[in-house]
Amino acid sequence: MDRLSNTVRPYAWGSTTAIPALLGTAPTGEPQAEMWMGAHPGAPSRITRPTEGTTPTTGTAPTELPLTEVIAADPEGELGAATVARYGPRLPFLLKLLAAGAPLSLQVHPDLDQARKGYADEEARGVPVDAPHRTYKDANHKPELICALTPFDGLCGFRRPTEAADAMEALGVDSLKPYVDLLRAHPEEAALREVLTAILGADPAEMADTVAEAAAAAERLGGAHAPYARIAHHYPGDPGVLAAMLLNYVQLQPGEALFLGAGVPHAYLDGLGVEIMANSDNVLRCGLTPKHIDVPELLRIVRFEATDPGVLRPEASPSGEERYETPADEFALSRYTLAPGAAPAELTVPTPQILLCTAGTVQVGALDLTPGQSVYVPAAEAVEATGSGTLFRATVAA
């Protein structure tokens, strides 16, 4: 078991205070958007393990190593034979603290077959993997789960077209009337597809004027329209403001979660949460971003169906584990609420784990964890937790 040293990513949408408040550190003044825990090559966690010393008296000397290198040196020892057989010699999930101070891009993820085909196609066409117009960065899908640590706002999945039509019509903006008519005149899938296609394909100057009028009206109306005024404040003139009105607005309370499967459009707006995902960078954006939007591929990937966002609450077990049930294979997320004097939580499993403290003080083996601190546990290593606080466990789904 190894304490993790993790990288915080300063994306522009990040909160300047949420992660420092959890860690008990002073804000730096710059956004602190995500703290990554895992073995993603872009920012792998680091651990300290002994390496061979240079003299008989020194024996072994502790050295800080990227978790990617530790796993590469002994994949089966670190991940377990079953994980390596299924996913190869890599940790198949990435755990994060995510702190949104402004809306993230409106986005969607491909399924595994779409990712493999899209990646192979761009590789065959020689599109550089770091090109700004590259769509598929790898051949993997990216199911993900966000669990709220504070009240957390987001958008998830399409709402009923008639509800979106009502919201747009209430703004009283003449240039929105064609979208309102489309949403009411077609079957559900066709209505959503035609309106999103029209929004993303509109003349940029005309769209900027429409968004400005819609934002001003949303601010006047307030109430259910307030989130769209807030989004427009951060992304003035962006067509994603109107695309956001097609989606379900969700407010999570601490402990509640959302699962984002393939083809489901979504965006996080505000709040602090624990996020876990399959280890992939495949994102197709559909607004609220200056980055490239691959409209034809996006329209092929999006699932145009109205859905309930499906707020998840953890399912308790006699062992004290509260698990967030999802269809994902690459990861499983659960939570333990530990109390003084209670029996230790037995955490030993045949898969690799990352354990993250989010409240109180938790003892994991010989290590004390305070909020924001985490450890990596190799597959099948015996481990138990005690203390007074909250501990999240990320591992590979059984």
Side-chain angles (χ1 to χ4, degrees), residues 132-388:
H133 62 285
R134 174 89 183 216
T135 298
Y136 293 95
K137 307 296 186 181
D138 53 66
N140 199 19
H141 63 166
K142 193 183 178 185
E144 63 188 41
L145 175 80
I146 184 76
C147 176
L149 294 179
T150 67
F152 193 98
D153 295 358
L155 304 170
C156 179
F158 289 110
R159 57 179 169 176
R160 292 184 181 87
T162 53
E163 293 177 1
D166 290 344
M168 287 187 178
E169 186 173 48
L171 295 173
V173 176
D174 288 344
S175 52
L176 291 179
K177 189 175 186 304
Y179 304 141
V180 172
D181 292 342
L182 284 171
L183 288 168
R184 289 188 171 144
H186 290 282
E188 180 177 285
E189 180 179 348
L192 294 169
R193 178 181 293 275
E194 288 191 34
V195 171
L196 184 61
T197 301
I199 289 171
L200 296 179
D203 176 82
E206 293 180 2
M207 176 55 67
D209 290 341
T210 296
V211 171
E213 287 187 61
E219 188 164 8
R220 287 194 305 271
L221 288 172
H225 288 83
Y228 309 110
R230 189 168 79 244
I231 292 169
H233 172 75
H234 291 284
Y235 297 97
D238 193 303
V241 175
L242 299 185
M245 298 187 73
L246 302 176
L247 307 186
N248 294 298
Y249 172 62
V250 184
Q251 293 181 293
L252 300 179
Q253 295 306 308
E256 295 180 334
L258 287 175
F259 174 73
L260 292 313
V264 178
H266 61 278
Y268 303 144
L269 304 181
D270 183 73
L272 176 67
V274 174
E275 185 182 40
I276 189 168
M277 62 186 61
N279 219 341
S280 171
D281 291 322
N282 284 327
V283 174
L284 286 91
R285 296 174 177 85
C286 43
L288 310 182
T289 178
K291 295 182 179 180
H292 174 66
I293 298 178
D294 184 347
V295 175
E297 187 68 5
L298 173 71
L299 296 175
R300 193 178 72 84
I301 296 301
V302 171
R303 294 182 178 176
F304 289 98
E305 57 185 17
T307 59
D308 185 300
V311 174
L312 298 176
R313 296 170 181 83
E315 298 185 13
S317 69
S319 68
E321 179 183 23
E322 298 176 301
R323 182 161 172 152
Y324 293 89
E325 296 293 343
T326 79
D329 294 326
E330 289 86 353
F331 63 78
L333 185 72
S334 55
R335 183 182 68 176
Y336 292 82
T337 302
L338 304 171
E346 173 55 54
L347 304 177
T348 306
V349 290
T351 49
Q353 304 179 71
I354 292 176
L355 306 176
L356 167 67
C357 176
T358 60
T361 300
V362 175
Q363 291 76 45
V364 179
L367 299 177
D368 287 348
L369 301 183
T370 56
Q373 294 184 338
S374 56
V375 296
Y376 161 72
V377 184
E381 182 172 311
V383 62
E384 60 182 26
T386 58
S388 177

Side-chain angles (χ1 to χ4, degrees), residues 57-150:
T57 58
T58 60
T60 59
T63 300
E64 189 173 70
L65 300 169
L67 189 54
T68 44
E69 291 185 13
V70 173
I71 291 172
D74 183 13
E76 289 199 3
E78 299 293 337
L79 306 178
T83 298
V84 173
R86 187 165 189 180
Y87 301 107
R90 63 186 184 89
L91 189 68
F93 64 83
L94 176 65
L95 184 68
K96 300 178 181 180
L97 280 173
L98 184 147
L104 283 67
S105 63
L106 192 59
Q107 57 188 251
V108 69
H109 306 304
D111 64 28
L112 188 56
D113 183 61
Q114 291 164 340
R116 288 171 174 169
K117 290 178 179 177
Y119 180 78
D121 174 66
E122 289 188 306
E123 286 289 283
R125 291 190 285 115
V127 181
V129 73
D130 58 351
H133 62 285
R134 174 89 183 216
T135 298
Y136 293 95
K137 307 296 186 181
D138 53 66
N140 199 19
H141 63 166
K142 193 183 178 185
E144 63 188 41
L145 175 80
I146 184 76
C147 176
L149 294 179
T150 67

